[in-house]
Amino acid sequence: MESPALGRLQVLSRHLQPTCSAGDSAAYERKASPLEDVVIVASLRTPLTKAKRGGLRDTDAVDLLATVFKGVLAQTKIDPADIGDIVVGSVLGPSSQRANEARIASFFAGIPESVPCRTVNRQCSSGLQAIADVAAAIRAGFYSVGLAAGVETMSKNPMAIDEFPTAQGCLMPMGVTSENVAAKYNITRKTQDAFAVRSHARAAAARDAGKFKDEIVPVHTKTIDPKTGVETPVVVTEDDGMRADTSMESLGKLKTIFKKDGSTTAGNASQITDGAAATLLMSRREALARGLPILGIFRSFAAVGVDPAIMGVGPAVAIPAALAKAGLTVEDIDVFEINEAFASQATFCVKHLGIDEGKVNPNGGAIALGHPLGATGARATATLLHEMKRRGKSSRFGVVSMCIGSGMGAAAVFERGGEVDGLQNVRAVASQGHLSKNAVL
């Protein structure tokens, strides 16, 4: 007759046998996780600093990109030769020159010459477009590991040249579109300033709580005294744009920029900023084979066109388009990173889509952190995924979105939740240890 003790051991043994397709015995809910999923295994950025005045003002695109490239390689410890392609988003840098800089940065990061590199420019969505391009290539089977990035050196490549008023005039429509949105949808100056105050307060609180530390790679660089030319070595570790003391009173003193008696000011618009970000993507199969933790899953992407006169409404159209591709609704999303090009357009998009303001930019946005055009999409992705990681399984879906100059919008959907196994025990194992080697069943 079988003893009770032996019976219990046999039951326990069956519990320890592989019972799922992953070849493990996880004691928590398992979901269908296709090995062809495109996943993110690392997403990092430099600090964002004020153009012309911040700690990165004398740092070129090569050094910014090399810093984030090295960061993702060090974190994942992959062989750089395994990268199938590098795609870098950038807006203001001369096209051919920026492509060369991106290639040189890859060499500085220890990536071999066998790995190709290219740039992409869809204006303010360029960093997100780079991520989407790499994800699409992985899904198409062109390669299984890809590196997406974004960079902007707005200190060295300004949006306008003071000596040429006509060139400055080319940029006027961006601010004018903010005024158009404010006028058309009745977004008051008070509402815009309140949005800006909230952005600064959230960003300052996030910085003080150390929330950005996991996504920031320090930049070892230099600053140059404009008068003497003396170079001073510095290590830039934090964003410098947020101002915790920003108030309705202080913003109310600022003059409007683009329209007499308008509502758009330097205080309720995004900051001109230097920075870079990079994201390493691969198939889930590749990530599991390498034993790499999955930070998030790339679910969908959409780029749309809108009236150029109110280009800031782009996210209000792009977000529903991306959600539809993912089979989701606004209510399914736990965190939104919506670029704050202007408080007018960001406010409209949030209200138009009926999004809970508490879900939008919980750690501040571009009004406080800055908007390095080509890097913003990649930066926002890093911020989103690390925020979702902190929240654990209570945060399953997230969205990154932005408006785009000339009348467009872009959005991407990312997933964590039950589809991301932070414990990393989903890999197939060669054998099961069951109990101890001395156990007799």
Side-chain angles (χ1 to χ4, degrees):
M1 180 176 180
E2 185 180 89
S3 70
L6 181 58
R8 287 195 296 271
L9 285 174
Q10 288 174 332
V11 171
L12 179 59
S13 174
R14 287 194 294 273
H15 283 317
L16 292 172
Q17 292 286 350
T19 57
C20 69
S21 60
D24 74 330
S25 56
Y28 52 91
E29 182 181 10
R30 181 71 66 210
K31 293 184 172 62
S33 301
L35 296 178
E36 292 72 32
D37 276 350
V38 177
V39 302
I40 296 92
V41 296
S43 194
L44 301 171
R45 67 177 178 90
T46 68
L48 304 184
T49 69
K50 298 176 183 177
K52 302 287 187 182
R53 295 179 290 162
L56 299 177
R57 64 183 182 273
D58 296 312
T59 306
D60 60 29
V62 170
D63 289 332
L64 290 175
L65 284 172
T67 296
V68 289
F69 288 172
K70 289 177 182 177
V72 296
L73 291 173
Q75 186 174 93
T76 59
K77 297 179 173 56
I78 71 161
D79 183 346
D82 293 341
I83 298 172
D85 199 4
I86 302 171
V87 182
V88 178
S90 183
V91 178
L92 298 176
S95 178
S96 60
Q97 180 61 24
R98 189 48 49 90
N100 287 335
E101 290 170 338
R103 177 80 165 146
I104 293 168
S106 72
F107 296 153
F108 281 10
I111 299 172
E113 63 185 26
S114 59
V115 177
C117 178
R118 69 176 173 89
T119 55
V120 61
N121 183 352
R122 199 196 286 272
Q123 301 192 74
C124 298
S125 72
S126 297
L128 187 61
Q129 185 66 58
I131 292 172
D133 284 1
V134 169
I138 293 173
R139 280 180 175 167
F142 296 160
Y143 48 80
S144 59
V145 180
L147 181 57
V151 65
E152 214 66 72
T153 51
M154 300 184 78
S155 292
K156 296 179 179 293
N157 302 110
M159 292 182 68
I161 304 172
D162 294 339
E163 291 83 355
F164 296 94
T166 303
Q168 288 182 317
C170 291
L171 298 168
M172 275 299 219
M174 292 293 245
V176 171
T177 65
S178 173
E179 294 289 3
N180 290 344
V181 169
K184 181 171 181 142
Y185 300 106
N186 193 29
I187 311 296
T188 66
R189 166 75 180 269
K190 182 178 180 181
T191 297
Q192 294 173 59
D193 285 352
F195 188 101
V197 169
R198 183 167 62 248
S199 182
H200 279 282
R202 289 179 175 179
R207 177 196 59 195
D208 294 344
K211 289 186 176 181
F212 296 131
K213 288 184 178 179
D214 288 343
E215 68 190 64
I216 287 180
V217 183
V219 180
H220 294 258
T221 185
K222 64 181 182 298
T223 57
I224 303 173
D225 188 307
K227 295 182 180 178
T228 65
V230 173
E231 298 184 0
T232 303
V234 297
V235 180
V236 182
T237 61
E238 288 190 338
D239 308 312
D240 70 4
M242 66 277 284
R243 299 183 299 275
D245 61 349
T246 299
S247 65
M248 294 294 289
E249 182 181 7
S250 63
L251 293 183
K253 297 176 181 178
L254 299 177
K255 295 181 179 180
T256 58
I257 304 171
F258 301 102
K259 178 182 178 182
K260 185 178 180 181
D261 299 324
S263 57
T264 299
T265 71
N268 58 37
S270 56
Q271 297 184 39
I272 299 172
T273 309
D274 299 316
T279 297
L280 187 66
L281 300 95
M282 57 183 65
S283 66
R284 183 189 293 274
R285 183 188 305 275
E286 192 74 31
L288 296 179
R290 294 171 180 272
L292 290 172
I294 294 172
L295 187 59
I297 307 160
F298 183 92
R299 283 303 183 202
S300 69
F301 172 80
V304 301
V306 298
D307 182 353
I310 51 172
M311 67 94 193
V313 306
V317 181
I319 290 174
L323 290 175
K325 291 176 184 290
L328 301 170
T329 67
V330 167
E331 290 72 25
D332 295 317
I333 306 305
D334 301 294
V335 187
F336 291 84
E337 281 288 330
I338 300 177
N339 188 44
E340 300 167 356
F342 301 96
S344 60
Q345 56 83 211
T347 297
F348 166 77
C349 293
V350 172
K351 290 185 175 180
H352 178 76
L353 295 175
I355 302 173
D356 179 350
E357 291 183 354
K359 293 183 176 182
V360 181
N361 302 348
N363 299 313
I367 289 174
L369 297 170
H371 178 23
L373 308 182
T376 286
R379 190 285 302 169
T381 298
T383 301
L384 174 80
L385 292 175
H386 285 280
E387 174 63 21
M388 293 175 71
K389 179 181 179 181
R390 278 190 296 272
R391 296 186 181 195
K393 290 189 177 181
S394 66
S395 181
R396 182 171 182 183
F397 294 108
V399 165
V400 172
S401 185
M402 66 282 296
C403 60
I404 305 171
S406 76
M408 291 182 283
V413 179
F414 298 88
E415 182 177 5
R416 274 192 60 86
E419 294 296 308
V420 173
D421 193 337
L423 297 179
Q424 275 299 287
N425 68 345
V426 300
R427 300 185 302 281
V429 295
S431 63
Q432 287 285 346
H434 303 311
L435 303 175
S436 77
K437 65 181 181 180
N438 297 317
V440 177
L441 300 181

